[in-house]
Amino acid sequence: MEDRLAIIHDMESSVRSYVRSFPAVFTKAKGCRIWDEEGAEYLDFFSGAGALNYGHNDDNMKKKLVEYIKDDGITHSLDMASTAKVAFLETLRDVILKPRHMDYKVMFPGPTGTNTVESALKLARKMTGRTEIVSFTNGFHGMTVGALSVTGNSMKRRGAGIPLNHTVTMPYDDFMEEDTHDSLHYFERFLQDNGSGVAVPAAVILETVQGEGGINAARMSWIKRLEEICREWGILMIIDDVQAGVGRTGTFFSFEPAGISPDIICLSKSIGGYGMPLAVTLIKPELDDWIPGEHNGTFRGNNPAFITAVESLKYWADPDFEASIQRKAAVVEDFLNEMIAKYPDMKGRRKGRGLMQGIASDVEGFSEKVAEHAFEHKLIMETAGGSDEVFKLFPPINISDEDLREGLTRIEKSIQDTLKSHVSS
Amino acid sequence: MEDRLAIIHDMESSVRSYVRSFPAVFTKAKGCRIWDEEGAEYLDFFSGAGALNYGHNDDNMKKKLVEYIKDDGITHSLDMASTAKVAFLETLRDVILKPRHMDYKVMFPGPTGTNTVESALKLARKMTGRTEIVSFTNGFHGMTVGALSVTGNSMKRRGAGIPLNHTVTMPYDDFMEEDTHDSLHYFERFLQDNGSGVAVPAAVILETVQGEGGINAARMSWIKRLEEICREWGILMIIDDVQAGVGRTGTFFSFEPAGISPDIICLSKSIGGYGMPLAVTLIKPELDDWIPGEHNGTFRGNNPAFITAVESLKYWADPDFEASIQRKAAVVEDFLNEMIAKYPDMKGRRKGRGLMQGIASDVEGFSEKVAEHAFEHKLIMETAGGSDEVFKLFPPINISDEDLREGLTRIEKSIQDTLKSHVSS
Amino acid sequence: MEDRLAIIHDMESSVRSYVRSFPAVFTKAKGCRIWDEEGAEYLDFFSGAGALNYGHNDDNMKKKLVEYIKDDGITHSLDMASTAKVAFLETLRDVILKPRHMDYKVMFPGPTGTNTVESALKLARKMTGRTEIVSFTNGFHGMTVGALSVTGNSMKRRGAGIPLNHTVTMPYDDFMEEDTHDSLHYFERFLQDNGSGVAVPAAVILETVQGEGGINAARMSWIKRLEEICREWGILMIIDDVQAGVGRTGTFFSFEPAGISPDIICLSKSIGGYGMPLAVTLIKPELDDWIPGEHNGTFRGNNPAFITAVESLKYWADPDFEASIQRKAAVVEDFLNEMIAKYPDMKGRRKGRGLMQGIASDVEGFSEKVAEHAFEHKLIMETAGGSDEVFKLFPPINISDEDLREGLTRIEKSIQDTLKSHVSS
Amino acid sequence: MEDRLAIIHDMESSVRSYVRSFPAVFTKAKGCRIWDEEGAEYLDFFSGAGALNYGHNDDNMKKKLVEYIKDDGITHSLDMASTAKVAFLETLRDVILKPRHMDYKVMFPGPTGTNTVESALKLARKMTGRTEIVSFTNGFHGMTVGALSVTGNSMKRRGAGIPLNHTVTMPYDDFMEEDTHDSLHYFERFLQDNGSGVAVPAAVILETVQGEGGINAARMSWIKRLEEICREWGILMIIDDVQAGVGRTGTFFSFEPAGISPDIICLSKSIGGYGMPLAVTLIKPELDDWIPGEHNGTFRGNNPAFITAVESLKYWADPDFEASIQRKAAVVEDFLNEMIAKYPDMKGRRKGRGLMQGIASDVEGFSEKVAEHAFEHKLIMETAGGSDEVFKLFPPINISDEDLREGLTRIEKSIQDTLKSHVSS
């Protein structure tokens, strides 16, 4: 073990992070399970930070992928047309967009979350002729300079090495704790008063649930009101659904319960289904006024990922699929509420919605410790929030009830371990 | 055919570009050959703009890839350690770095060229505490805001929708046509004179051969002198080898003949070997002072791409591999020189080096026409340069002599066709 | 008349503004009176927007100024030492700073308000090594790019022609109408949450009463609390007292009643006493770490203005001077309250404090109309606020009771005229 | 003496500079003479860095100024019309503009050089809708953020504390020493190549002789060619004549011998005649599309300065005035050439033109030493250039032949002293 990790330590840049929390060399995986080279088996309640919503190496997708590769299907084709791309577009249209009465053009930016965000910001600025973008406190949208400029985290922002401009941060729902008048009123006042120093922006960019920022879930009424403000002022609404989308919250798009109609939607992570890089920017047709090649990239059509994406989207053709996620989400919710009540020393608050939930502990360092103990119990789980104050549960959305229960059991043990070692000390 | 392309036309964003030049739905590929759904076979002298240096679907890589997937090898693991990553690091070290006496830390940014560039710029700014980056005229480094700020193309820059700052453009080798004193003297004067308005930059970022910018190849003496200037002034030297690297110019790294030792090296495109997204940033150990997670991304370790990358790097263990590329490069060079001499109406100048060559025609629209006729002759070839004035030959670096000859024959036919229709008219 | 104004119309740039509201060619002035070339006499309740706090052409100052010029005293000397400068420094120290137990270094930037603000922002950034400045909604600090970047007015900001960056606008006291928790809590939340997207700034810049922004007066408790926040976070506090300072609010510095100790104080307008250009930046000694010449300018020591400034500061040696201003301020306050009560159709709210008060009317266009009628009644008065919704009373601070009464009478007439023509129509 | 300077040392900010080179408290002045409090008399070959082109306290101007003040003429009136302003506009038109067939609108920005520059940059950006400004190496345009962004000096730029953007520096005439093809070709190449990374700018801003930057005089042919390039590309041409204008080079505007027609002209320093703050921006009528108040300022009409300006402009009604300056310029030129030939150890090169000349010495520290010795010989003279390598002669343009000769004699003595102490050691 040591030897195998040593090469990582010797050769990989100090920027590496998760390998520090999960010091093992992983080798195989299936569903919610992952094995290291020593043969140890782990439950994965991390799911690639939302890139593995269907679990690891789904059998259907795997079968199609292997066939495709064996048949010498096109692997790389820039943005030329391919059989795989055509199939993806058709399936996206027929299974996802049409049933939801959504009409969008599909853009393939580079295959990462930050790239779909960069494409969305560019297009919003181009179509409005304005420069400013409004983002929200504790938003996270990516690490390239454009996406970083709408990201809240101060450590990551400093990493840019240059000032990050052309953006204004507004308070997310619930940012002002004693929120007697809601935080959108601030935004409105800044828009209304032409001495506010804040120009009407090109767009707002919003995560309906903030994954990295602490599993903060905005209320549907807040999201709806934000859309109204955008309409009133001619501001484009960009939903960054990279982490919260593709079923993570119980519906395909995270914003569906709010009944809004975003101008631009950013998807990545689980849109490829199998954990291979893919990103998609959905654009209302009237806004799709790019010059050919105005935003491009080498890997903007990843054909193997199209193949697995097509299979993954078929889950959504099953009329019971959403209900099954929501049912499991309720299990998690009940469990977390129970934990908070049962272990008051944890000083916990439940965060998030769907299968994107967690507990924020007001005890310093508590949540990190829970995640550490979980790893000892062979469960992989991440923390979130500016001070890592939240431990977050990201099981696959198609996890079995048994596996889910097993994971929750291990998490309770980890809480108990932490309370013993941490709080009592 | 029409029907299948129609869905692209209906659903894909107007930003799509290559599908406009190559209107076919491609379905299979092998080596330098690619087939569309109608069964037509094409020679591919485009190679995914440098992402397919080893051709399509190389049999060795394919075999390993299929095995890996069938065995449920880890597909996605963020930056956790995996068997595939360890193998990649070992192979990169043993086959590429050690034999070249190179000592670098390996960073995995997001799996695209623009992402490795963004990581390089961030690190250079952080390690020097300076903000400015010097780039060169007609440089191309990517489409996210940080990379775009060091890209020269005016259409692409305008696409940002915001001013692109913290960069200064200096003239590339040969930018000043009647170059009696070389263009680096300008750069030096700006550094020397403390009233020049140009601060000492954090870094320069250079492509030794500019792919998108017109297949401009800097002289080795120019590159070497640039390195000397950087050393004298404490400026970091970043080589963007995304397109020119991984063998494209005849050596693994494009800068090897110059004998320089860059501080940071950006690789992507063909580093994964098989056309799957992967990017690597190589960093001198003394500069690798990232905070864990200071630059991250969901797809920063693409395990299937590690598997194929390992196989692809084995090509370089063959002591004759470089010579074979260089021999084919000489064939291309001779061919292009012959074409220029034989068809003076083309007003051609040979550009580039290695298997990254082309002809710049001073006849307006000529090169685009050659590429169009080539497509009729079932050869796929791209244009480059600010006015698409260059047609560029990017065959796989392991192409057979027969296929290379066949491709060149089709290109000569395309030149002849163009001269008939274009110049004589 | 027409003829004389015609040359202005023909030759002066369209940027001219007050001459449009007050279409007369003025020729002489004394105290609160000003005469045009036709011999018409006006009461001046505008006082050069705060540059003539001691009225026009004060006899004492005038006498000294004429003597100085006749004696060939130095007029211009860049920042060399001069008899006049030494006298100014001594008087400022002995009459203003010492009695208030204030210890500051004195910087002479260019002789305008915008220049003292630019010097303050530079120094704050230099001394903290940070780039961001927090300004407040409806703040006004000047028209050069640095000062404009902390100014709220959207028309003026757009005038920059470039994005204005490195600043964040926070809500001024009372910006949120139904202010149940005060607006500084909003600022604090952004500081506390390291995912807020707002970095700890170098400084805040504050007008205790916003002159251009609508005669908004912050509460002393709010100002005091802002200072506490600044101390807690190591943020420098810059008070822009260009308009509210030099006695305009009833004390020499506008912030005296709050009991704060700003790090940097910006003075201009009335600091020269006689209406000649002069500006001063007061800097806490421990922050005065400029390199010689790091901020300079041709007119940074205006000797004739030093001469009149010395005389003007002597007003403050009179122990009753402040009380006399405050007594007149009370007269104005009573008058405005009376007007609001007496003329409910005006929908007025009293704004401001000291001799920097006005009425905001909720009737659109009302305040501008009052100012127009006032001009017919031979009283010069300005409007303020983002929609010119406030008419503002800026009489000299040494105005006689009779003149003050006369002015108020004319203002009441103007209100009545406006109500007749505007509201009833 | 000590005592009087002590208060400067104690109270004035460390940013003070000239008082360090010229440690005396000055009290009276007339023409080219200035006296300190100890009674010492100095010849002033500094002329307020070009703010005192007519010498100190010119008798005609003084007489009118005293009369105006005694008569209670308006001192301060913002931008309302005044008798003094009307007179200034008429005189400027009749004496300066009409005889030169120049048609310009007159804008009064704040009364400093940096303010007229800021107004020019704003207007250029507004009228073209572009953001970038091209400035030239070693240009100096002022210290507020907008003007500083087009200033070359690195110490002053760093002083901004924020990155200075939206500008590109191009090489001034003669910046490349061995200038076989002239430096404007470099600029043209960046404009022509749409991959150059440099967008077509809103404007260029040029000093025809760079005062602070080292008394660099551009050739008339170079200036003319720059104008042609501007016309070809639709770039506005701004001449910053703050230091070189108002007769300093032998004609009223410094650019007259080049026969160009700038779009915007910036004047300050000597435009007021008497050393009182005043600035003027001249704008071609078709470009004067400001919104009223879009650029404003408290001291934008300085009436006493209008009074002296009117008198000063009358010098130019004398048909022999220009010839008299040019004759004295020839005297200076001959003298400097003689010095260079006579004292080869000085390693001097003559710089500049008109009464804006100096010697650049290649001996490190030489020029500063000359200026120091000159002060011992009671002559005040400044150095210029990035390393203070130039000592510069700025006598009043109306200096008598005797005084000029006397000054030159003292300068030769200072050179001799320096050679003795500096070079021989």
Side-chain angles (χ1 to χ4, degrees), chain A residues 131-132 136-139 151-155 157 163-167 169-171 174-181 183 185-187 189-190 192-199 385-387, chain C residues 131-132 136-139 151-155 157 163-167 169-171 174-183 185-186 189-190 192-199 385-387:
Chain A
T131 55
E132 302 303 290
F136 293 92
T137 51
N138 287 297
T151 289
N153 184 285
S154 60
M155 180 272 275
R157 289 179 74 84
L164 297 170
N165 293 316
H166 310 303
T167 56
T169 321
M170 285 289 157
D174 228 11
F175 180 70
M176 305 300 298
E177 305 97 339
E178 347 122 44
D179 212 9
T180 54
H181 53 252
S183 65
H185 187 48
Y186 278 101
F187 183 24
R189 283 288 295 131
F190 276 96
Q192 288 160 354
D193 192 318
N194 66 18
S196 73
V198 173
S387 318
Chain C
T131 55
E132 301 305 289
F136 293 91
T137 50
N138 287 298
T151 289
N153 184 285
S154 61
M155 179 272 273
R157 289 180 74 84
L164 297 170
N165 294 316
H166 311 301
T167 58
T169 320
M170 287 289 156
D174 228 12
F175 181 70
M176 303 301 297
E177 304 95 343
E178 348 123 42
D179 211 9
T180 54
H181 54 252
D182 82 289
S183 65
H185 183 51
Y186 185 81
R189 284 289 296 130
F190 274 87
Q192 288 160 353
D193 193 319
N194 66 18
S196 72
V198 173
S387 316

Side-chain angles (χ1 to χ4, degrees), chain C residues 37-331:
Chain C
E37 291 189 344
E38 312 261 288
E41 179 185 305
Y42 301 81
L43 274 181
D44 184 358
F45 269 45
F46 184 7
S47 298
L52 292 166
N53 283 356
Y54 308 98
H56 293 269
N57 301 332
D58 176 273
D59 279 329
N60 272 332
M61 301 183 209
K62 170 178 162 180
K63 186 166 162 284
K64 297 284 180 169
L65 177 62
V66 167
E67 276 168 20
Y68 185 78
I69 297 169
K70 289 176 87 168
D71 285 354
D72 287 321
I74 303 279
T75 303
H76 182 276
S77 56
L78 290 150
D79 73 347
M80 296 191 283
S82 69
T83 305
K85 181 193 274 189
V86 168
F88 173 75
L89 287 171
E90 282 175 337
T91 311
L92 182 70
R93 181 188 59 195
D94 296 341
V95 179
I96 303 297
L97 298 178
K98 273 200 180 161
R100 285 167 181 78
H101 309 291
M102 292 169 72
D103 183 18
Y104 286 85
K105 292 283 181 179
V106 182
M107 174 183 180
F108 299 104
T112 66
T114 200
N115 215 313
T116 171
V117 167
E118 294 255 352
S119 71
L121 301 183
K122 272 189 188 178
L123 187 61
R125 283 165 169 148
K126 171 177 179 150
M127 297 308 293
T128 59
R130 302 178 202 139
T131 55
E132 301 305 289
I133 304 285
V134 159
S135 57
F136 293 91
T137 50
N138 287 298
F140 178 86
H141 301 284
M143 296 297 277
T144 51
V145 168
L148 195 51
S149 69
V150 287
T151 289
N153 184 285
S154 61
M155 179 272 273
K156 294 194 192 301
R157 289 180 74 84
R158 273 195 304 271
I162 49 172
L164 297 170
N165 294 316
H166 311 301
T167 58
V168 177
T169 320
M170 287 289 156
Y172 195 75
D173 192 13
D174 228 12
F175 181 70
M176 303 301 297
E177 304 95 343
E178 348 123 42
D179 211 9
T180 54
H181 54 252
D182 82 289
S183 65
L184 285 174
H185 183 51
Y186 185 81
F187 182 24
E188 274 194 299
R189 284 289 296 130
F190 274 87
L191 290 170
Q192 288 160 353
D193 193 319
N194 66 18
S196 72
V198 173
V200 175
V204 302
I205 184 163
L206 177 74
E207 301 157 284
T208 70
V209 186
Q210 298 182 318
E212 301 305 303
I215 317 294
N216 309 309
R219 289 165 295 169
M220 292 304 147
S221 59
W222 187 93
I223 296 168
K224 184 72 191 159
R225 189 168 162 218
L226 176 60
E227 188 194 41
E228 288 162 8
I229 294 171
C230 287
R231 297 300 165 234
E232 183 181 349
W233 291 90
I235 300 164
L236 298 183
M237 187 180 205
I238 303 170
I239 296 294
D240 177 347
D241 233 9
V242 167
Q243 185 160 148
V246 193
R248 177 52 57 192
T249 65
T251 49
F252 187 82
F253 297 107
S254 72
F255 55 77
E256 293 181 45
I260 61 166
S261 175
D263 296 294
I264 305 177
I265 303 164
C266 297
L267 295 174
S268 182
K269 290 196 187 269
S270 280
I271 189 63
Y274 203 74
M276 291 187 298
L278 189 63
V280 158
T281 311
L282 299 177
I283 302 164
K284 284 204 172 164
E286 63 271 25
L287 294 172
D288 179 43
D289 199 24
W290 289 105
I291 300 170
E294 200 174 2
H295 187 87
N296 61 22
T298 294
F299 297 113
R300 64 195 180 279
N302 186 1
N303 287 289
F306 285 146
I307 295 298
T308 54
V310 164
E311 287 312 299
S312 73
L313 293 178
K314 290 180 183 166
Y315 272 98
W316 298 90
D318 173 356
D320 296 331
F321 188 56
E322 293 198 353
S324 77
I325 306 171
Q326 290 161 16
R327 189 174 42 73
K328 281 173 277 195
V331 170

Side-chain angles (χ1 to χ4, degrees), chain A residues 13 17 37 79 269 288 298, chain B residues 13 17 79 83 269 288 298:
Chain A
S13 163
S17 60
E37 292 190 342
D79 74 347
K269 291 196 186 271
D288 179 44
T298 294
Chain B
S13 164
S17 59
D79 73 348
T83 305
K269 291 196 186 269
D288 180 44
T298 294

Side-chain angles (χ1 to χ4, degrees), chain A residues 323-389:
Chain A
S324 77
I325 305 170
Q326 289 160 17
R327 190 175 41 72
K328 281 173 277 196
V331 170
V332 171
E333 185 170 338
D334 290 347
F335 168 75
L336 295 177
N337 285 334
E338 187 194 328
M339 291 301 102
I340 290 164
K342 193 165 164 188
Y343 304 107
D345 286 352
M346 176 164 65
K347 296 180 188 166
R349 282 169 295 120
R350 196 176 55 77
K351 307 290 298 283
R353 62 189 177 86
L355 286 175
M356 189 172 185
Q357 294 190 53
I359 286 179
S361 164
D362 287 343
V363 181
E364 200 185 319
F366 190 94
S367 292
E368 282 181 290
K369 215 70 196 168
V370 173
E372 278 177 46
H373 284 295
F375 189 68
E376 293 162 15
H377 291 293
K378 302 283 181 270
L379 181 132
I380 295 176
M381 183 170 73
E382 195 190 12
T383 56
S387 318
D388 286 312
E389 74 277 9

Side-chain angles (χ1 to χ4, degrees), chain B residues 48-181:
Chain B
L52 292 166
N53 282 356
Y54 309 98
H56 293 269
N57 301 331
D58 177 273
D59 280 329
N60 272 333
M61 301 183 209
K62 169 178 162 180
K63 184 164 164 287
K64 297 284 179 167
L65 179 61
V66 168
E67 277 169 20
Y68 185 79
I69 296 170
K70 288 175 88 167
D71 285 354
D72 286 323
I74 303 279
T75 303
H76 182 275
S77 56
L78 288 151
D79 73 348
M80 296 193 282
S82 69
T83 305
K85 182 194 274 191
V86 168
F88 173 76
L89 287 172
E90 283 175 337
T91 311
L92 182 69
R93 181 188 58 193
D94 296 341
V95 178
I96 303 296
L97 298 179
K98 273 201 180 159
R100 286 167 180 77
H101 310 291
M102 291 170 71
D103 183 19
Y104 286 85
K105 293 281 182 179
V106 182
M107 174 182 180
F108 299 104
T112 65
T114 199
N115 215 314
T116 170
V117 167
E118 295 255 352
S119 72
L121 301 183
K122 272 189 187 178
L123 187 60
R125 282 164 168 148
K126 171 179 178 146
M127 296 308 291
T128 59
R130 303 179 203 138
T131 54
E132 301 304 290
I133 304 285
V134 159
S135 57
F136 293 92
T137 49
N138 287 297
F140 177 85
H141 301 284
M143 295 299 276
T144 52
V145 169
L148 196 51
S149 69
V150 286
T151 289
N153 184 284
S154 60
M155 180 272 272
K156 295 194 192 302
R157 290 180 74 83
R158 272 194 305 271
I162 49 171
L164 297 170
N165 292 317
H166 310 302
T167 57
V168 177
T169 321
M170 286 288 156
Y172 195 75
D173 192 12
D174 228 12
F175 180 70
M176 305 300 297
E177 305 97 341
E178 347 123 43
D179 211 8
T180 55
H181 53 252

